[in-house]
Amino acid sequence: MASPKLLLVLATSLLGCGLLAAADYAPMTLTVVNNCPFPVWPGIQANSGHDVLEGGGFFLQALSHKSFPAPAHPWSGRIWARTGCAGAGAQLRCATGDCGGRLQCGGLGGAAPATLAQVSLHHGGDQTSYGVSVVDGFNVGLSVTPHEGRGNCPVLGCRRNLTATCPGELQLRSPAGSVLACRSGCEAFRTDELCCRNMYNSPRTCRASKYSEFFKRECPQAFTYAHDSPSLTHECAAPRELKVIFCH
């Protein structure tokens, strides 16, 4: 699950919808870059009630990119990389980030573990909010980079290859034994405490664990558990382009 604090930031796109719904904003481009030395299949999941972009998924060969127009109205959702995929036509099965065996996720989310870029466009006076989450674990490094925005527009990311340093009990391995991804404590052990659910579903009772602290040491800018707080805040208005870069 994504961090409630990040979701709260993203949810501000809904505030004042009556005033913003009719507004069209300056043109903006979303670009997804595969900087990895292997192919990835990006997935895109819109939040409820928002447009599905690019069918929800597509193929990117190594060292390539895809750009497309961002919605000209408030939009929020997540973008992630699927890896180790095979299939034909509309069918696609992936070792990480799979979305129901489809090439185009069509509104479905990706299976954990997967590193997430979470974005909210055109809210609160054409602000763009973005962040990186490893709450659902890690499969590839990524960064989110705004271009030509006004205000405080930092690059945010989780760039290290955590599959190389992932604790053994969190490792997701292939049948051949290679480490494919790094699971969250929640995904690995399924306890209420690590998953911040039931009696642990509040900022007071949902606390960092030794597993989330591993992710925080490696990726201090990322959200690492459900009620984590970001280490770097931003107020970025009207960027011309927002890039999500894998293996950056």
Side-chain angles (χ1 to χ4, degrees):
M1 293 177 60
S3 161
K5 288 194 175 184
L6 182 55
L7 290 176
L8 181 60
V9 171
L10 298 177
T12 57
S13 64
L14 299 177
L15 297 177
C17 261
L19 295 176
L20 296 176
D24 278 341
Y25 296 94
M28 179 179 176
T29 299
L30 290 175
T31 298
V32 182
V33 181
N34 180 16
N35 200 45
C36 304
F38 47 82
V40 300
W41 289 256
I44 305 175
Q45 182 188 33
N47 288 355
S48 179
H50 291 208
D51 301 338
V52 175
L53 306 183
E54 300 299 305
F58 48 88
F59 169 73
L60 273 184
Q61 63 184 354
L63 306 178
S64 67
H65 73 277
K66 181 181 178 70
S67 296
F68 48 93
H73 50 266
W75 184 90
S76 59
R78 54 178 59 182
I79 302 171
W80 70 98
R82 293 171 286 170
T83 65
C85 302
Q91 304 302 309
L92 189 74
R93 289 290 180 184
C94 300
T96 71
D98 189 82
C99 61
R102 302 180 181 184
L103 171 61
Q104 294 189 318
C105 298
L108 297 178
T115 321
L116 303 177
Q118 297 186 285
V119 301
S120 179
L121 312 178
H122 307 311
H123 67 84
D126 207 8
Q127 295 288 316
T128 290
S129 299
Y130 51 94
V132 175
S133 172
V134 290
V135 175
D136 290 341
F138 172 98
N139 64 341
V140 299
L142 69 78
S143 67
V144 184
T145 303
H147 290 280
E148 299 183 48
R150 301 191 305 271
N152 181 25
C153 301
V155 176
L156 298 179
C158 178
R159 301 185 183 188
R160 294 189 178 183
N161 178 17
L162 303 194
T163 61
T165 56
C166 182
E169 62 268 37
L170 301 183
Q171 293 174 359
L172 175 68
R173 290 182 173 270
S174 71
S178 62
V179 180
L180 299 174
C182 192
R183 297 178 294 173
S184 66
C186 171
E187 179 71 15
F189 299 105
R190 306 285 185 170
T191 67
D192 286 355
E193 184 174 8
L194 289 173
C195 294
C196 291
R197 63 191 176 207
N198 296 326
M199 66 177 291
Y200 296 98
N201 187 23
S202 75
R204 182 179 62 84
T205 58
C206 174
R207 313 294 296 182
S209 68
K210 68 177 182 180
Y211 304 113
S212 68
E213 287 172 352
F214 158 74
F215 287 106
K216 183 61 74 174
R217 285 193 303 271
E218 297 291 324
C219 294
Q221 296 177 349
F223 289 84
T224 60
Y225 66 99
H227 286 277
D228 195 8
S229 297
S231 62
L232 185 63
T233 59
H234 60 281
E235 293 183 1
C236 188
R240 294 290 301 275
E241 182 180 31
L242 195 67
K243 285 184 177 178
V244 174
I245 308 176
F246 300 121
C247 298
H248 184 226

